[in-house]
Amino acid sequence: MTTLRDAAGSRHAYEDTLRTLSEASSTGPHFEAFKDIAWDSPEFAAPADDPRWTLPEVDPLSRTDWFRGLPAAEQRRIARLRIASITKTGSQFEQLLLLGGTQFLMGLANENPEFRYFMHELTEETHHIQMFQEFTNRVAPEVHGGPTLFIKSFPLVGMLGSLWPSLFFQIILAGEEPIDHIQKSIMRGGGIHPLTDRIMEIHLAEEARHIGFAHAWLRRHAPRMSRVNRLALGVTTPLIMRIGFWGIVVPSRQDAKLMGIPRDVLRDTYSMRNPDFRRLLSDACADVRSLADANDMRNRLTLWSWRRTGTDGRPSRYRSEPSRAAA
């Protein structure tokens, strides 16, 4: 049973975490979209025929016979569109975070230290949106981004920031964890293009704080949740992770058509029948599984949901553990 002393110690530790995150956002590394990226630098030029456009190995499409059999010029075209499409989807998801984030902040009491840090986070997200959108405009403004129904649902999902904050923070992780996992995998593999690499460097540096806050918030508030709320989160979190992963990783119908991906290739590549895709989904959820274990949300009553959605697997031993180490 948690004692008053334990509760006070936990509160102080949480407030120390918030203070550290806030100070890091105000005095540590923080970036502005049009100040910290030299968009017009010759090194960052990104013409359509740039030979540096390559499809990262983390994308299951890169390992298909169809893609490997294409001429080099066509591979570069698809890689450029694919990277711009995921970047656009990232921008759209960050806008969802702003929608729900402002709803969440409105419900906080005066002097709640969560307000200061989360406001820092929303400020940083506005620069991420600008950064992602500028990249999309320069590289492939014809891309669509996430699936239409996925994007249309955002105003309703944003209301969860005030109506069901614990679920909203799980939704935040459903968007941030897959992107973070993919970007780290790309950077560990040597990167793609100087411009994309610079954007990922900035995003990863600040996203570490954002993901850290979502984890800390859920750990702090989980003990105060009702059993029904905790059970509901344990069951819905795997589904949310699956939906978020699908919306970010699987090309929308419009962008798949733009890239010229045949329907059978699209269906077979981004399918739970494909072991590469299945492994990517599981790896992207490793940190969330660890968090769910710590919050007693992955147990005998909820494990069926993790298994059914393909989000189950071994939890990470530490945040952002590389997939090869977890294998």
Side-chain angles (χ1 to χ4, degrees), residues 164-185:
W164 194 356
S166 53
L167 181 62
F168 177 68
F169 276 98
Q170 293 287 6
I171 291 172
I172 287 176
L173 291 177
E176 290 181 333
E177 294 279 13
I179 292 177
D180 189 69
H181 176 78
I182 289 170
Q183 289 185 340
K184 284 177 178 174
S185 297

Side-chain angles (χ1 to χ4, degrees), residues 41-145:
S41 167
E43 179 189 15
F44 288 169
D49 60 350
D50 194 323
R52 295 175 294 184
W53 290 125
T54 57
L55 203 58
E57 188 177 348
V58 69
D59 189 341
L61 187 66
S62 69
R63 295 189 287 278
T64 61
D65 293 337
W66 171 78
F67 182 78
R68 289 176 173 175
L70 294 173
E74 183 64 3
Q75 288 186 356
R76 288 196 295 270
R77 186 188 75 87
I78 292 172
R80 174 177 57 85
L81 293 173
R82 179 79 171 114
I83 294 165
S85 174
I86 293 178
T87 303
K88 175 65 178 180
T89 305
S91 171
Q92 292 162 334
F93 181 81
E94 303 283 29
Q95 291 173 68
L96 167 61
L97 196 154
L98 290 182
L99 283 172
T102 53
Q103 294 290 318
F104 168 75
L105 288 175
M106 289 180 192
L108 296 183
N110 294 333
E111 298 185 321
N112 187 329
E114 291 174 351
F115 187 97
R116 179 188 169 187
Y117 171 70
F118 202 58
M119 197 65 235
H120 279 305
E121 179 170 330
L122 296 188
T123 301
E124 290 167 357
E125 297 294 12
T126 61
H127 287 289
H128 295 178
I129 293 168
Q130 291 272 34
M131 181 171 67
F132 290 163
Q133 187 60 52
E134 182 67 14
F135 175 86
T136 303
N137 291 345
R138 287 172 177 257
V139 171
E142 63 270 34
V143 299
H144 181 268

